[in-house]
Amino acid sequence: MTVLDAAQAVLESGSVCEWCLGRCFADRGSGVLTVERGHALRVACALEADESYEPIDPTDCQVCNGIEIDYDVWAQRAADALAGLEFKTFQLGTRPPDGIIESDRTLRRESGLPENAGQTFNAEVNRKVADRLTQLIDASKSADRPDIVPVLDFVDDTVTVRINPVYLYGRYRKLETGMSQRVHQCIHCDGIGTIERDGESRSCEYCAGIGRRPNVEELVAWRIRDLMDAVDVSFHAAGQEADDVLVLGTGRPFALEIKEPRRRLFTPAELEATITDAAGGAVDVDEFSFATGDVVGHVTQQAFRQRFRITMTFADPIDEDTFRDAVSTFESTPIRRHLRLEELTEGRRPHEIVRSLRDVSGEHLDEYTASIAFEIEPGLDPASIATGDGGWTEPNLAELLETDTRVTEVAIAAVRGRDGQFRTPSHLLDYPRTR
């Protein structure tokens, strides 16, 4: 079928204006306006059939009903709606008048054309308004992860803006104990920040009056949320640690979803510095990168290994050879954690948990102090490997050394993915956001 045959089929399907006719063949030729293309096709069809040229009134068009669109006005309205937002890329969206999308499809179907032939109403409007909008704002069109999406609403005659989220990947180190990973309200003041004492309302000394325990989420995720002037933020980490456990070494991988950020033009280095400076030495971050949305699943669903370092003191002097002999036991003997009665639940029927240590090493600091490092799967309190937890964990160093053992520090030295890596190029974006 030639272009003229197809155009004649469109004209025979009903009353179609030259703009809608031209849109059916918008992928043919270049340098011609849509209306001009439709006019040329109508004239050519009349010449081919040796008939008189008969234009129609656009208001009689069965597709668009003669809609009038001032692209310059819509571009200016979009620019006004975007004022005050930081972004570098955009993609226009359109909510078309009722019925026009179905009429477009019906026209092509009845004319024997593919439903996606040429350009739809939305595609035509988006293209023309976007071309004008780029002249009014300092941003470029992009269909690949645009920062914002202005939507031209022809039903309500408005322009709304959808601000796409920002995703970040990084690793945090927790350098102080007594800090939870997630936000929890203070149990001493029930989250209100004050305590009634001797008939007076006083600032809660346990939470410094803020109603929350110190936590990584607030120092990292909330700080970025406020910096980017976002509506909300979701914090996702690869596992978690107890409040009294430090996170050192390479740190724990995490991902952030910053929702509807009004400011987003930051470099990863600027974000890292903001968090580290504000945390006052309690937390620091590195490996910050902008990321794709699937980084959240990559961080939270990937199997991982944790390497712990347990520092301890002994009630009796222990020489280095005795200590190293005890440590070597863990290289071949599984650790069994017997469950107390109150720990048994419907979903936890076994009476013990069995875990094996990997890559075990020990450091004898002096006859009263030592440390042990190892990798272990989740499910077992690493400190109990040193203390025995009253005999509930076997074997343990206290039992092997025949002396009371007190843990002075528990630290996570590394968190590794199954293949040794969490930072995967396919989830990271290689651009810095700059103003």
Side-chain angles (χ1 to χ4, degrees):
M1 179 184 291
T2 67
V3 173
L4 283 183
D5 290 337
Q8 185 61 46
V10 172
L11 293 173
E12 290 175 355
S13 68
S15 179
V16 181
C17 72
E18 296 185 344
W19 182 61
C20 291
L21 173 61
R23 288 193 296 106
C24 290
F25 303 94
D27 53 347
R28 298 299 188 96
S30 61
V32 182
L33 297 176
T34 303
V35 172
E36 292 174 346
R37 181 181 285 107
H39 175 73
L41 288 171
R42 190 185 297 275
V43 171
C45 286
L47 293 175
E48 179 70 17
D50 193 18
E51 297 175 349
S52 60
Y53 167 68
E54 296 182 0
I56 71 164
D57 188 325
T59 59
D60 294 329
C61 177
Q62 66 185 28
V63 178
C64 72
N65 296 312
I67 186 172
E68 295 183 2
I69 305 173
D70 190 324
Y71 300 111
D72 292 319
V73 169
W74 278 103
Q76 185 60 58
R77 294 176 70 181
D80 293 341
L82 297 173
L85 300 178
E86 286 187 356
F87 60 97
K88 283 294 185 181
T89 59
F90 72 92
Q91 181 182 27
L92 275 182
T94 294
R95 182 189 181 193
D98 292 337
I100 198 168
I101 296 299
E102 184 56 38
S103 296
D104 251 345
R105 292 172 179 164
T106 300
L107 174 66
R108 287 160 174 75
R109 184 169 57 249
E110 293 181 351
S111 304
L113 297 175
E115 283 195 358
N116 62 348
Q119 284 197 324
T120 64
F121 175 89
N122 284 17
E124 175 82 356
V125 171
N126 289 348
R127 178 176 62 84
K128 291 189 174 182
V129 174
D131 288 343
R132 290 160 171 80
L133 183 57
T134 55
Q135 305 302 312
L136 301 175
I137 62 176
D138 182 20
S140 59
K141 295 183 292 183
S142 175
D144 183 23
R145 294 186 291 270
D147 294 338
I148 51 94
V149 180
V151 179
L152 315 179
D153 191 331
F154 284 83
V155 177
D156 294 335
D157 194 33
T158 60
V159 176
T160 58
V161 179
R162 185 176 77 237
I163 304 175
N164 284 336
V166 168
Y167 294 93
L168 289 166
Y169 167 83
R171 285 176 175 263
Y172 74 80
R173 284 181 286 270
K174 191 174 77 175
L175 308 176
E176 294 182 358
T177 58
M179 178 179 298
S180 62
Q181 183 189 82
R182 299 306 185 100
V183 175
H184 297 291
Q185 73 175 24
C186 175
I187 61 174
H188 300 281
C189 65
D190 293 329
I192 62 176
T194 58
I195 295 177
E196 295 293 330
R197 185 175 297 166
D198 299 329
E200 296 182 4
S201 180
R202 302 180 181 180
S203 176
C204 177
E205 60 189 60
Y206 299 96
C207 66
I210 64 173
R212 301 180 298 276
R213 295 160 54 191
N215 63 88
V216 175
E217 182 178 7
E218 184 171 353
L219 292 175
V220 176
W222 288 18
R223 183 69 57 180
I224 296 298
R225 178 200 63 190
D226 296 344
L227 182 65
M228 291 189 168
D229 192 15
V231 170
D232 200 2
V233 63
S234 293
F235 177 77
H236 309 272
Q240 58 185 345
E241 69 281 340
D243 295 6
D244 59 349
V245 175
L246 301 176
V247 181
L248 307 176
T250 57
R252 185 181 297 282
F254 69 93
L256 300 180
E257 180 187 2
I258 299 96
K259 302 174 183 179
E260 298 184 41
R262 295 181 61 83
R263 303 179 63 209
R264 66 199 303 150
L265 303 186
F266 297 94
T267 64
E270 289 174 325
L271 299 177
E272 288 182 10
T274 296
I275 292 172
T276 301
D277 292 346
V283 171
D284 70 8
V285 295
D286 62 11
E287 290 193 21
F288 247 19
S289 297
F290 289 95
T292 60
D294 52 5
V295 72
V296 172
H298 177 69
V299 166
T300 58
Q301 298 174 18
Q302 182 179 174
F304 62 89
R305 310 191 305 270
Q306 296 188 114
R307 182 167 183 78
F308 286 89
R309 188 191 71 216
I310 311 298
T311 303
M312 68 204 80
T313 59
F314 306 122
D316 302 302
I318 302 295
D319 63 71
E320 184 170 357
D321 290 340
T322 302
F323 172 72
R324 294 198 179 280
D325 287 344
V327 170
S328 66
T329 303
F330 297 115
E331 297 176 354
S332 57
T333 305
I335 306 296
R336 298 182 180 275
R337 169 73 164 86
H338 305 286
L339 298 182
R340 300 179 177 88
L341 182 62
E342 63 269 19
E343 293 176 307
L344 297 176
T345 64
E346 188 67 28
R348 205 174 185 182
R349 300 302 299 230
H351 291 276
E352 65 180 17
I353 296 173
V354 181
R355 295 290 185 268
S356 296
L357 304 189
R358 290 178 292 188
D359 193 15
V360 184
S361 64
E363 183 177 6
H364 186 267
L365 302 174
D366 59 51
E367 60 184 3
Y368 288 100
T369 311
S371 68
I372 182 174
F374 50 84
E375 284 188 0
I376 190 171
E377 298 174 349
L380 184 66
D381 178 11
S384 67
I385 295 171
T387 66
D389 190 21
W392 291 95
T393 299
E394 297 179 325
N396 60 78
L397 281 174
E399 177 184 64
L400 294 171
L401 298 174
E402 299 181 349
T403 185
D404 289 338
T405 301
R406 184 173 69 89
V407 171
T408 58
E409 182 181 277
V410 180
I412 295 173
V415 180
R416 302 187 180 98
R418 178 176 295 172
D419 58 357
Q421 295 292 328
F422 265 91
R423 187 183 179 92
T424 304
S426 62
H427 299 97
L428 306 181
L429 301 178
D430 59 2
Y431 58 78
R433 292 297 196 183
T434 56
R435 292 174 176 80

